[in-house]
Amino acid sequence: MGNKRVSKLRKVLQEQGLDAMLITSSINRRYLSGFTGSSGYVLVTGDESYLLTDFRYRTQAAEQVAGLKVVEHGPKFIDTVRELLPQGGSVRVGFEQDDVTFSAYTAYAAALQPAVLVPVSKAVENLRMFKDEDELAVMQRAADLADATFSHILNVIKPGMTERDVDLEMEFYMRTHGATSSSFDTIVASGERSAMPHGVASSKVIQNNEFVTFDFGALLDGYCSDVTRTIALGTPDPKLKEIYDVVLEAQLHTLANIKPGMTGREADALARDIITRYGYGEYFGHSTGHGLGMEVHEWPRLSKLADEILEPGMVVTVEPGIYLSGLGGVRIEDDIVITESGITLLTHSSKDYLVL
C-alpha cells in the first residue's frame, strides 16, 4: 500500500527538482505509511522511504507500516532526518508549508544545513484527491453508518430533548457501530438556531413546530462521511417548507448535472443559480461543497473561487442551504463520487419533506 503512494509522491519530487520530502502532517503520514500513531514523520528520498517514530510506537509501527523502513529517531527527530538525507552540497528538501509552523521551520532549517528547505504545497493532498477502490469501499461504509445513524435518531428525537441529548445519542450510535468517533462536532440546530449553518449542538430544548438540521458524519477506519438532513416537528411556519423545496430542488439539480470535466466553480453555480432565481441568493452564504476523505474538508472545493477540475475518483459533498435569521434554515447534503460518466451517490437517506 505504502509503496504505490510513495512512488507517486516520488514522481512529484522529481518534477519539482527535490532530493527529498519531509512529511509532518499526521493525515498525510497515515496515508503514505498506514501508521496510525500520534507521532511520527515520513521522509522520502530518491531511492528510500522511511517512517520515523519514537520508542513508544516501536511495536505498532512494525505491525502497520508496509513498504517503508521504520526508523526509531533520536531525541530530536530532525537530527535523524539529517543523517538519512543524501549527502552533498545542494540537497533540496521539500517540507509541507501548510503544516509546518514558523518556529518549526527555523529549527529544521538550522538543523539540516547545508541542505536547503523548500516549501511545498499540497504534494500529498493532490494524491489524496483521487480515491482508489479500497478507499471508496471504506467511504461507502462510513456513509452507510451515517445513513443508519439518521434512521436511528428519527426514532428517538422528540420535543423536550435538548440538542445535546440528540448529539450524544447519535455519537453513541456511531461509536457502538464501529466508528472511531464522529468526523466533526455534530450540528443539531433546531428552531431559529437552524439559521446558523454551523450551529453545533447546544443546551437548547427542541420544541414542537420547529425545523431541525442535522449535519454529522462518522470517522470509520480512517475515512469520513458528512451528511445533512433537515426535518420538521409539528407544523412549522409555511415559509420554512417553501425554502425546503428550493434547497431540495437546487441539491437534486446539482446531483443530476455535476460531472467530470467541470470546474468547482461551475458545480457551485448549479446550486447557486437555482437558489438565486428564487430570490434567496443572499441567504446561501457558503460554498456548495468540498472534497471528503481522510479529512472532512479536503480538496477539491465546489465554490465561487474554485478552478480545480472535477475528475473521476474524487469524492465531494453537495450541500446547498438557505438560512433566514430569526426564522430558521435548511441544508441538504450528500456525499458523491465523481465517475467517468457522472456520479455515484454514497449517502442514501431520504430527502422527502419529513414531519415528525
Side-chain angles (χ1 to χ4, degrees):
M1 182 214 86
N3 333 21
K4 200 189 280 180
R5 293 173 181 180
V6 168
S7 307
K8 285 182 180 167
L9 180 58
R10 199 169 269 129
K11 281 202 190 84
V12 175
L13 300 196
Q14 288 161 356
E15 286 162 13
Q16 304 209 9
L18 299 170
D19 302 292
M21 177 89 196
L22 175 63
I23 301 298
T24 50
S25 147
S26 60
I27 301 268
N28 291 340
R29 174 181 75 229
R30 177 172 182 172
Y31 178 77
L32 292 169
S33 70
F35 176 64
T36 63
S38 69
S39 178
Y41 308 86
V42 167
L43 178 68
V44 177
T45 64
D47 44 13
E48 283 293 353
S49 55
Y50 308 93
L51 174 85
L52 287 74
T53 188
D54 62 63
F55 167 82
R56 297 170 297 169
Y57 291 111
R58 189 183 278 175
T59 307
Q60 182 180 338
E63 287 170 359
Q64 289 184 325
V65 175
L68 296 85
K69 284 188 182 168
V70 176
V71 175
E72 198 176 312
H73 62 69
K76 281 190 178 167
F77 92 93
I78 199 70
D79 294 337
T80 307
V81 170
R82 187 178 61 236
E83 291 161 19
L84 296 171
L85 284 177
Q87 298 307 305
S90 56
V91 174
R92 289 165 52 82
V93 183
F95 72 95
E96 297 185 288
Q97 68 175 40
D98 302 312
D99 184 72
V100 175
T101 63
F102 186 71
S103 60
Y105 166 76
T106 50
Y108 299 167
L112 293 181
Q113 286 175 337
V116 178
L117 277 176
V118 180
V120 177
S121 183
K122 297 189 1 212
V124 180
E125 286 82 351
N126 287 338
L127 303 178
R128 280 173 41 205
M129 281 203 292
F130 298 93
K131 275 61 180 183
D132 61 32
E133 280 178 27
D134 293 342
E135 290 179 288
L136 290 175
V138 177
M139 293 196 72
Q140 182 63 70
R141 287 179 24 241
D144 291 345
L145 179 50
D147 282 337
T149 303
F150 183 61
S151 295
H152 170 72
I153 206 63
L154 292 180
N155 294 320
V156 174
I157 188 171
K158 55 183 188 290
M161 293 176 78
T162 67
E163 294 170 349
R164 277 211 190 95
D165 294 335
V166 172
D167 167 35
L168 185 60
E169 182 64 36
M170 293 168 75
E171 181 83 23
F172 188 77
Y173 186 91
M174 289 189 271
R175 296 280 290 269
T176 49
H177 289 79
T180 306
S181 65
S182 49
S183 44
F184 53 94
D185 288 343
T186 295
I187 293 167
V188 180
S190 61
E192 290 187 15
R193 291 191 78 253
S194 62
M196 299 164 63
H198 272 210
V200 172
S202 76
S203 55
K204 178 188 175 296
V205 176
I206 296 167
Q207 313 281 350
N208 214 4
N209 307 326
E210 289 187 332
F211 265 24
V212 185
T213 294
F214 308 86
D215 184 350
F216 64 99
L219 174 61
L220 184 70
D221 294 341
Y223 287 81
C224 297
S225 50
D226 182 3
V227 183
T228 308
R229 291 292 185 269
T230 304
I231 66 159
L233 296 172
T235 49
D237 189 310
K239 186 84 177 159
L240 289 168
K241 170 71 163 73
E242 182 190 314
I243 65 170
Y244 187 96
D245 292 340
V246 173
V247 171
L248 182 57
E249 183 180 332
Q251 206 254 359
L252 292 174
H253 176 77
T254 307
L255 294 178
N257 291 282
I258 191 170
K259 56 181 192 287
M262 194 174 257
T263 64
R265 180 185 282 115
E266 289 168 328
D268 177 78
L270 289 173
R272 198 167 302 281
D273 289 352
I274 286 184
I275 289 175
T276 303
R277 189 188 319 144
Y278 282 100
Y280 291 108
E282 65 185 288
Y283 305 104
F284 174 26
H286 58 77
S287 61
T288 294
H290 55 82
L292 185 70
M294 297 179 84
E295 290 177 289
V296 79
H297 291 107
E298 47 180 67
W299 302 94
R301 306 292 163 114
L302 311 185
S303 84
K304 291 190 245 192
L305 304 172
D307 293 316
E308 302 104 12
I309 294 188
L310 299 178
E311 296 179 61
M314 293 179 172
V315 176
V316 296
T317 67
V318 175
E319 51 178 311
I322 295 174
Y323 312 91
L324 303 180
S325 195
L327 181 63
V330 174
R331 182 167 63 259
I332 301 171
E333 171 183 26
D334 286 305
D335 304 338
I336 65 171
V337 188
I338 307 289
T339 64
E340 296 291 341
S341 56
I343 64 159
T344 306
L345 275 168
L346 293 174
T347 45
H348 299 288
S349 293
S350 170
K351 290 175 274 198
D352 297 338
Y353 181 69
L354 182 66
V355 180
L356 291 185

